Amino acid sequence: DKHTITRGFEKFAFPKIVRVLGSDDLILKQKGLLGAAELLATGESGAQCLEAGICKAITTLLEDQDELVRERAAAALEVTAHSAAGCDYILADGAVEKLVKMLDDTSMEVRDAAYSALVEAASRSVHVQRALVDQETLPPLVKKAVAEETGRSSMALELLRCCLSGVRDDAVQALLVCDAIRDIKPLLELDDPAVLEGATSVIALLCVPFEGKEEAVRVGCTPALVKLLQDELDSVKSNALSAIMYMTIAKSGKVAVVEAGGIPPIIQLLDIDDEKVLINVLQVVTNMAEYPKGRELLQVASTSLDYLMSHHAALIQRYAAQAKRHVDFKELPYPQLRGEAR
């Protein structure tokens, strides 16, 4: 059978699979890509495949006329991206640009495979993240996150999150300029856990700089984020809390949280047995207590704060003590500070 692919012996296996991928025979290419993914999945074989030029051969097939070949080529690159060396080859061989173009492929299966490969590479390589930012991929990704079906929408959001985590300043700037917070905001009201997790994570990262905090308040993210503090999924709850933590550093954020009825759900989170969540919620309490109306509404949290000041983790104790001082604040202690001294 001319379509049977036998594995070459030891070191001859790797140049052979590269030759198979360069064949004009469609069936051989389709089968060869499955074999390539299998070889790339094992450490030593994968390294030798890369040295033999397999990544370049696979990258060429990303533009093949056959949908199955394109899909399997992208899937093979997802496996390639499991190692740092694989990511370097993906970059050097120009696969990132081609995978980005495949996000608009007519085949939904090809799009899915391209998203998976890009997410895998971006989650492991800051150089891939940098390439995505430099190629101005992020603004179109925001549009895709909003327009795609939920499965691909969550992948687009994950790709944005990877870039924001790795090359934060440039990625944030690129996204704030294209009104990403405004465009992503409607996703906060969907009923899909993966989309909610992605949308809250991206908005939280965009709220780190001052412009992001103000923009999130201005476009009306606060009510949706407050509602998500009671979400069933812990990661969504935690991401929404992180966004609120950053937003309430600004006065506009404090006012918006009070107006959105955010104090009761924030107080409820003081009872959660998760140290990361507790640190964030205690910081939110501290932030909100700097605003008189927020401080007034937080008085009922005094008992919970007293309890957390005896928490087994020293860091929680310190954050709780700081929050308690802010909540218990009454007035400036000296006439000079109150402006009464002459």
Side-chain angles (χ1 to χ4, degrees):
D1 184 352
K2 68 174 184 175
H3 293 136
T4 298
I5 301 174
T6 56
R7 179 166 175 173
F9 182 68
E10 293 187 349
K11 65 180 180 180
F12 298 107
F14 312 114
K16 179 176 181 179
I17 194 69
V18 173
R19 287 197 304 273
V20 168
L21 294 179
S23 168
D24 290 330
D25 189 300
L26 177 59
I27 305 298
L28 279 179
K29 285 189 290 189
Q30 291 174 345
K31 287 186 173 182
L33 284 164
L34 293 177
E38 188 178 324
L39 286 169
L40 285 162
T42 56
E44 188 175 341
S45 295
Q48 294 188 59
C49 279
L50 290 171
E51 288 178 16
I54 198 168
C55 186
K56 196 163 193 65
I58 295 171
T59 299
T60 300
L61 295 178
L62 293 175
E63 296 177 316
D64 196 90
Q65 290 186 342
D66 183 68
E67 287 183 10
L68 186 58
V69 168
R70 296 199 302 276
E71 180 188 346
R72 288 184 178 176
L77 286 180
E78 180 183 356
V79 178
T80 305
H82 288 175
S83 68
C87 289
D88 290 341
Y89 274 98
I90 284 172
L91 265 177
D93 291 333
V96 173
E97 297 93 324
K98 291 184 179 181
L99 285 167
V100 168
K101 287 180 183 176
M102 290 169 71
L103 299 181
D104 293 314
D105 199 278
T106 52
S107 163
M108 298 302 110
E109 290 77 11
V110 172
R111 285 193 199 183
D112 289 340
Y115 271 115
S116 295
L118 284 169
V119 167
E120 184 65 31
S123 67
R124 293 177 182 270
S125 170
V126 69
H127 303 299
V128 172
Q129 297 163 6
R130 167 58 62 189
L132 289 168
V133 174
D134 290 347
Q135 292 167 22
E136 300 183 352
T137 305
L138 302 196
L141 266 179
V142 172
K143 303 298 183 188
K144 292 183 191 307
V146 176
E148 287 274 28
E149 294 177 10
T150 53
R152 282 183 290 280
S153 174
S154 62
M155 296 283 268
L157 290 165
E158 177 61 13
L159 205 46
L160 290 169
R161 188 199 65 78
C162 287
C163 293
L164 284 165
S165 300
V167 283
R168 175 173 293 176
D169 291 348
D170 291 342
V172 166
Q173 194 55 39
L175 289 169
L176 289 180
V177 166
C178 75
D179 295 320
I181 295 178
R182 179 201 65 196
D183 290 344
I184 292 171
K185 177 205 160 196
L187 300 181
L188 296 175
E189 297 176 17
L190 295 186
D191 195 25
D192 183 272
V195 172
L196 284 176
E197 185 175 4
T200 49
S201 178
V202 169
I203 285 181
L205 289 166
L206 288 174
C207 285
V208 174
F210 183 77
E211 315 94 272
K213 306 180 206 311
E214 294 286 355
E215 177 70 1
V217 173
R218 188 184 70 78
V219 301
C221 289
T222 314
L225 289 168
V226 165
K227 183 179 178 182
L228 291 172
L229 291 177
Q230 297 173 300
D231 195 82
E232 293 178 358
L233 197 64
D234 287 344
S235 57
V236 171
K237 193 182 301 182
S238 179
N239 290 341
L241 181 63
S242 293
I244 288 171
M245 181 184 72
Y246 292 126
M247 289 165 65
T248 52
I249 291 171
K251 182 181 177 182
S252 60
K254 305 181 207 298
V255 174
V257 167
V258 167
E259 290 177 349
I263 298 297
I266 288 169
I267 292 173
Q268 284 181 357
L269 290 177
L270 290 170
D271 296 328
I272 280 189
D273 187 23
D274 180 311
E275 289 184 17
K276 181 187 173 185
V277 171
L278 278 176
I279 287 171
N280 285 351
V281 74
L282 286 168
Q283 185 60 55
V284 171
V285 169
T286 299
N287 294 347
M288 290 304 303
E290 293 171 353
Y291 174 50
K293 183 64 176 176
R295 187 164 61 250
E296 177 189 330
L297 295 170
L298 283 165
Q299 294 305 307
V300 294
S302 190
T303 304
S304 295
L305 293 174
D306 285 334
Y307 176 76
L308 289 172
M309 286 169 65
S310 303
H311 195 275
H312 62 82
L315 190 58
I316 300 293
Q317 292 176 21
R318 288 200 295 274
Y319 271 83
Q322 174 182 260
K324 184 82 163 80
R325 284 195 299 272
H326 279 68
V327 169
D328 288 349
F329 176 81
K330 299 298 183 198
E331 59 181 9
L332 295 172
Y334 306 111
Q336 293 92 332
L337 293 178
R338 290 199 302 266
E340 294 175 7
R342 298 196 178 273

